[in-house]
Each structure stands twice: as structure tokens, then as C-alpha cells.
């Protein structure tokens, strides 16, 4: 089994910063893409950022220039540095990993961490 655990969420004022972390544990052989999604109340879950195993990144237009995704392959961990936060960034943030377990690839999700940005 694979478990993803996010941390780092919280309450911050507009213009502030937060750093989210997501650690994967279990019988993981390899991880390809690591991603961060978010879901605000009444809205669909949306992709925020993705990073490939080799470090290539892609971001939602709404966070470009403010958020930075990174990863530590040795620790099966991904990070999301969020700067210049806006109230519209308020959401539950989920990490997602495409992991190889027992020679089978599958997608795994964390439980989510709440980010609240006050105006």
C-alpha cells in the first residue's frame, strides 16, 4: 500500500507564503509525475502544478510566477512553495503521485491540507 501525507497548510494573510509538503510511503519502486491539485468549496478539483521525474514543470495560469513545485526523489517527497497568496487561492490542496508498486503503475492521492488566505 502507498500512503501520501500532506502538511504545511494553514491560515495566512493575503500576500503571505506557505510551503506544502507531501511524503509518500510504502513499497514504492519509482514515482513519475508528482502533482498538486486544489478544490475550493463548490468548485471542481483543478490541477495547480505538476513535476516530472526529471524535473520538468507545468503550472496553472492562475499560479504562474507565484507558486513553485519541486521534488526530492530520494525522499519520495514533493513540495509546493506558494508566495504572494491571494484569497482566491483558498482551497483544500491535494498531492497526487503516479507510482510504481509491485511493478504496477497507479495514481495515489493524499488526504488534503486546508489553505485559507484572508483578505
Amino acid at each position: 500500500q502507498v500512503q501520501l501525507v500532506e502538511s504545511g497548510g494553514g491560515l495566512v494573510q493575503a500576500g503571505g507564503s506557505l510551503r506544502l509538503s507531501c511524503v509518500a510511503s510504502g513499497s514504492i519502486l519509482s514515482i513519475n509525475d508528482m502533482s498538486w491539485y486544489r478544490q475550493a468549496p463548490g468548485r471542481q478539483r483543478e490541477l495547480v502544478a505538476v513535476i516530472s521525474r526529471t524535473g520538468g514543470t507545468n503550472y496553472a495560469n492562475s499560479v504562474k510566477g507565484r507558486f513553485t513545485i519541486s521534488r526530492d526523489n530520494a525522499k519520495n517527497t514533493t513540495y509546493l512553495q506558494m508566495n504572494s497568496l491571494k484569497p482566491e487561492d483558498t482551497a483544500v490542496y491535494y498531492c497526487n503521485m503516479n507510482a510504481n508498486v509491485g511493478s504496477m503503475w497507479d495514481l495515489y492521492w493524499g488526504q488534503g491540507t486546508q489553505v485559507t488566505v484572508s483578505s
Side-chain angles (χ1 to χ4, degrees):
Q1 290 289 344
V2 175
Q3 185 176 21
L4 274 58
V5 178
E6 299 109 334
S7 61
L11 173 64
V12 64
Q13 288 187 333
S17 298
L18 285 174
R19 188 191 194 212
L20 305 183
S21 301
C22 176
V23 181
S25 61
S27 302
I28 300 169
L29 298 178
S30 182
I31 301 175
N32 280 344
D33 288 353
M34 296 181 176
S35 307
W36 287 93
Y37 286 75
R38 67 186 181 187
Q39 187 167 19
R43 302 190 66 175
Q44 288 189 335
R45 190 173 296 189
E46 63 174 354
L47 177 65
V48 175
V50 57
I51 184 167
S52 70
R53 181 169 180 79
T54 55
T57 59
N58 203 2
Y59 297 90
N61 288 334
S62 58
V63 307
K64 281 182 181 177
R66 300 187 298 122
F67 291 10
T68 302
I69 188 171
S70 59
R71 64 188 286 168
D72 184 333
N73 290 331
K75 296 181 179 180
N76 289 338
T77 299
T78 181
Y79 306 96
L80 186 67
Q81 178 67 44
M82 305 185 294
N83 298 329
S84 301
L85 282 161
K86 304 175 181 180
E88 51 263 43
D89 295 317
T90 295
V92 177
Y93 284 71
Y94 300 88
C95 69
N96 169 280
M97 296 188 186
N98 182 18
N100 187 318
V101 178
S103 298
M104 292 186 64
W105 290 94
D106 207 346
L107 292 175
Y108 298 90
W109 291 90
Q111 81 288 350
T113 185
Q114 176 70 46
V115 171
T116 302
V117 184
S118 63
S119 57

